[in-house]
Amino acid sequence: MCVCVCAVLVICIFLLQVAFAIVAAGCMLIGGNFMAWPNIFADLIVTSNNITTANVSTPSYPRLLMTDYEVGWLATLPIITCIPCMLLSGFIVQLVGLKGSVVVGVVLAIASWLLMGLTSSKTALFIGRAISGAPFAIIVTTIQPLVSELVSPNIRGVAASIPRFMSILGSLEVNVADIFLPWDYTTLFCALPFVAQLILLIFVPESPYWLVKKGQRDAAVSALKSLYPSADDVEDHFQEVKKCVSLSSEKPGVREQIHQMSQSSNYKPVILMATLFAIYGSNGYSIFVPYSTLIFGQAGMTLDPRLCTILLGVIRLVSAILGALVSDLCGRRLLYVGSSILSILSLVLTFVTLTFSFIPKIFVMISLMSFIIFSSGGINLVPPILMGEVIPSAVQSVGCSLCSVVGIIIYGCFLFITPWLTSVISLRFILLIPTAAILLGTFVAWRWLPETKSRSLLQLQKMFK
C-alpha cells in the first residue's frame, strides 16, 4: 500500500512538472510560426516569367505579390534582427529572470503578429517581420534552461523536448490555417495562442536557480514548493541548487560570465554546443521545413504540395515525441548518432530517386519523409535539450546566447539562399549540403559528447572539470 501511494505521488509530481513545462514551452510556437510563415507566400510569388495572380486568395492586396527575392528577405529578416537580440538576451535574463524573459518574448510576439496581420502595406509587413526576430531571440535562448531547471532529471529528456513539440505545432498551425484562411487572417491567427499563454504563465514558477543567484532564498523555496509537495524534497533540492550555484560567480552578471568563459570547464561545453548548433543550422532543417511547399513542387509531387507539407508536419511531431521518449531510455548521445546514420541513408535514397527518372515520384516523397522522421526524432531534437543540460550555470546566459547566435546565423544563410538554390541547381545536389553537415555532427557527437541521461544539473556541471 505504501509503495502504491509513493508511486502515485511520484507520478503526480512528474505530471505537475510536465504541465509547467508545457505552459512555459508554449512560447516556442513562434519558432514554428516564423519558420513556416514564408510558405503562405508560395502562391503570391511572381517572377519575370510569371506575373499572373493565379491561386491568390486575397486579390484585394495586389501590392503584396512577392518576388522570390522578396520572399527570401521576408524569411531572413527576423534572423538578421534576432542576432543582436540574442546577444542582449543575457542582460534581459539578469534583469527579469528566465520566466520573466519568456513573458517579454510572448508580449513582443503578440505585437509583431498583430502588426503583420493588420497591415495592407508591404513596407509595414517587412517591418513587422523584422520585429518578430526579437521575441524569437529572447525565447529560444531562455526556454531550454528554464524547462531543464523546473523538472526532475528522470523526465528532463521528455520535458526539454516539449519546446521542440511546440515549434513543430507552430509550423502545422501556419500550414493548416493557410489552406482555409487568407494570408492576413492566417497571420492574425498566429497571435491567438500567445494571448492564452500570457495568462497561463502566471502559474509557472520562476527558475529556483536564478532566484538563488539573485539571493532570493524565500522565493526560491516557494518555487520549489510548487514543483515538489514534500518538505524533505524541497529542502534536498534547495541544497542541490545552492551547491550548483556555488560553482559559479557570486556576481552572476554578463560581464562576470564572460570572464568565467576563460575556464576550461566553462568554455569546452560552450564550444561543443556551438559546434552542434552550427551543424543543427545546416543539416537540412532550414531547407526542407520553411520551403517545403516549393521543394515538393520542384520534386514533381503528384499530390498537393500543401497537403504534403501538413503531412510532413504531423510526421515531425510524432517522430519528435517518440524521440523524446527514447532520449530518456537510451540517452541523448546514442539517439543523436543513431538518427544521424539513418538520416544520411535517407538522403542517399532521396538522391537516388531524384537521379533516375524511371523511379516513381512517390518514392521521392517517401525518402524525404524518411529523412524528416529520423532527423526530427534525433539530430534536430537533441541539441536544444543539451543546451539546457550541458552549458554550466556559471556561463548560462552568455553560453546559450552564443550557441543560439551561431546556429541562427548558419540557419539564416541557408534560409536566404534556398529560394535561389532551388531555381539554379537540381534538388539532388542541394542534398549534399545536409549530408556533409550530418556526417560532421556524427563524428563530433561520437568523439566528444558525454551522456547526460538521468544526471542532475550539479553532476553535469562537474562533467567537464
Side-chain angles (χ1 to χ4, degrees):
M1 182 68 179
C2 184
V3 174
C4 293
V5 172
C6 292
V8 171
L9 182 61
V10 170
I11 292 173
C12 290
I13 292 173
F14 286 168
L15 290 176
L16 177 64
Q17 294 175 359
V18 169
F20 285 139
I22 291 173
V23 173
C27 60
M28 272 304 293
L29 284 169
I30 193 172
N33 286 163
F34 97 45
M35 284 185 290
W37 191 73
N39 264 329
I40 71 176
F41 289 98
D43 288 337
L44 301 178
I45 295 178
V46 293
T47 66
S48 57
N49 298 321
N50 177 21
I51 57 173
T52 65
T53 59
N55 298 323
V56 177
S57 57
T58 54
S60 59
Y61 292 99
R63 288 192 300 157
L64 290 177
L65 291 174
M66 299 285 174
T67 65
D68 54 358
Y69 177 77
E70 288 173 325
V71 171
W73 272 109
L74 269 178
T76 311
L77 266 177
I79 305 295
I80 297 173
T81 55
C82 82
I83 291 174
C85 293
M86 281 181 172
L87 296 174
L88 293 173
S89 63
F91 293 98
I92 299 175
V93 171
Q94 296 305 318
L95 289 175
V96 298
L98 290 170
K99 175 194 169 183
S101 299
V102 170
V103 172
V104 172
V106 169
V107 171
L108 291 175
I110 294 171
S112 64
W113 287 124
L114 291 178
L115 176 59
M116 289 188 289
L118 295 174
T119 184
S120 59
S121 165
K122 189 183 291 187
T123 301
L125 184 71
F126 274 81
I127 293 173
R129 182 67 172 159
I131 293 174
S132 68
F136 175 79
I138 296 170
I139 289 169
V140 80
T141 55
T142 57
I143 190 60
Q144 292 296 159
L146 176 61
V147 171
S148 295
E149 293 175 3
L150 290 179
V151 299
S152 301
N154 292 334
I155 59 168
R156 194 170 56 235
V158 172
S161 302
I162 295 175
R164 181 68 178 170
F165 305 160
M166 293 300 177
S167 180
I168 296 172
L169 284 174
S171 297
L172 275 173
E173 175 192 2
V174 172
N175 292 322
V176 172
D178 183 38
I179 293 178
F180 302 101
L181 300 173
W183 75 266
D184 48 339
Y185 290 133
T186 298
T187 305
L188 288 173
F189 183 72
C190 290
L192 293 180
F194 295 101
V195 176
Q197 191 198 13
L198 195 59
I199 299 172
L200 292 174
L201 278 171
I202 297 172
F203 305 101
V204 177
E206 178 58 87
S207 164
Y209 292 80
W210 182 82
L211 292 170
V212 170
K213 287 179 185 178
K214 289 294 184 178
Q216 301 179 30
R217 184 188 186 282
D218 293 340
V221 171
S222 178
L224 288 169
K225 286 180 179 178
S226 302
L227 302 171
Y228 303 96
S230 168
D232 292 337
D233 286 341
V234 170
E235 180 61 28
D236 291 343
H237 283 87
F238 180 72
Q239 294 301 323
E240 182 175 311
V241 170
K242 284 180 63 178
K243 291 178 182 177
C244 191
V245 172
S246 67
L247 297 177
S248 61
S249 171
E250 296 181 357
K251 299 179 179 180
V254 172
R255 184 176 298 179
E256 288 74 21
Q257 291 189 39
I258 294 174
H259 176 72
Q260 291 204 39
M261 285 288 286
S262 60
Q263 300 179 18
S264 62
S265 59
N266 291 330
Y267 71 71
K268 284 182 179 179
V270 172
I271 291 175
L272 174 62
M273 288 309 305
T275 303
L276 291 179
F277 266 80
I279 296 167
Y280 174 71
S282 56
N283 66 9
Y285 189 79
S286 56
I287 298 174
F288 294 114
V289 175
Y291 298 111
S292 52
T293 300
L294 294 176
I295 295 293
F296 283 128
Q298 192 195 67
M301 294 290 100
T302 54
L303 299 175
D304 184 345
R306 293 187 185 279
L307 293 179
C308 289
T309 300
I310 294 174
L311 177 60
L312 179 149
V314 173
I315 290 174
R316 288 169 57 216
L317 180 61
V318 174
S319 178
I321 292 174
L322 294 176
L325 296 174
V326 172
S327 71
D328 275 327
L329 295 175
C330 71
R332 293 16 146 196
R333 180 172 178 264
L334 183 59
L335 177 62
Y336 187 95
V337 173
S339 67
S340 296
I341 296 172
L342 293 173
S343 297
I344 292 171
L345 293 176
S346 299
L347 289 174
V348 171
L349 179 61
T350 305
F351 183 89
V352 172
T353 56
L354 289 171
T355 301
F356 299 101
S357 59
F358 63 84
I359 299 178
K361 294 299 182 183
I362 189 65
F363 287 101
V364 177
M365 186 183 75
I366 293 174
S367 56
L368 282 175
M369 290 298 183
S370 298
F371 168 75
I372 296 300
I373 290 172
F374 297 130
S375 61
S376 297
I379 56 176
N380 288 325
L381 178 73
V382 173
I385 296 177
L386 292 174
M387 186 167 71
E389 295 181 321
V390 173
I391 296 180
S393 176
V395 294
Q396 185 183 77
S397 299
V398 172
C400 290
S401 298
L402 288 176
C403 294
S404 300
V405 166
V406 170
I408 210 68
I409 289 175
I410 304 296
Y411 178 88
C413 290
F414 283 103
L415 198 64
F416 183 74
I417 66 173
T418 295
W420 173 78
L421 281 175
T422 56
S423 64
V424 298
I425 63 175
S426 172
L427 176 60
R428 69 177 186 272
F429 292 113
I430 296 177
L431 297 176
L432 297 176
I433 300 172
T435 302
I438 296 170
L439 276 172
L440 177 60
T442 305
F443 172 75
V444 171
W446 184 259
R447 178 66 180 81
W448 289 291
L449 183 64
E451 185 50 70
T452 62
K453 181 185 68 172
S454 299
R455 298 189 180 184
S456 69
L457 294 179
L458 179 60
Q459 291 173 323
L460 293 174
Q461 287 209 48
K462 297 178 178 179
M463 191 176 297
F464 289 90
K465 284 187 174 298

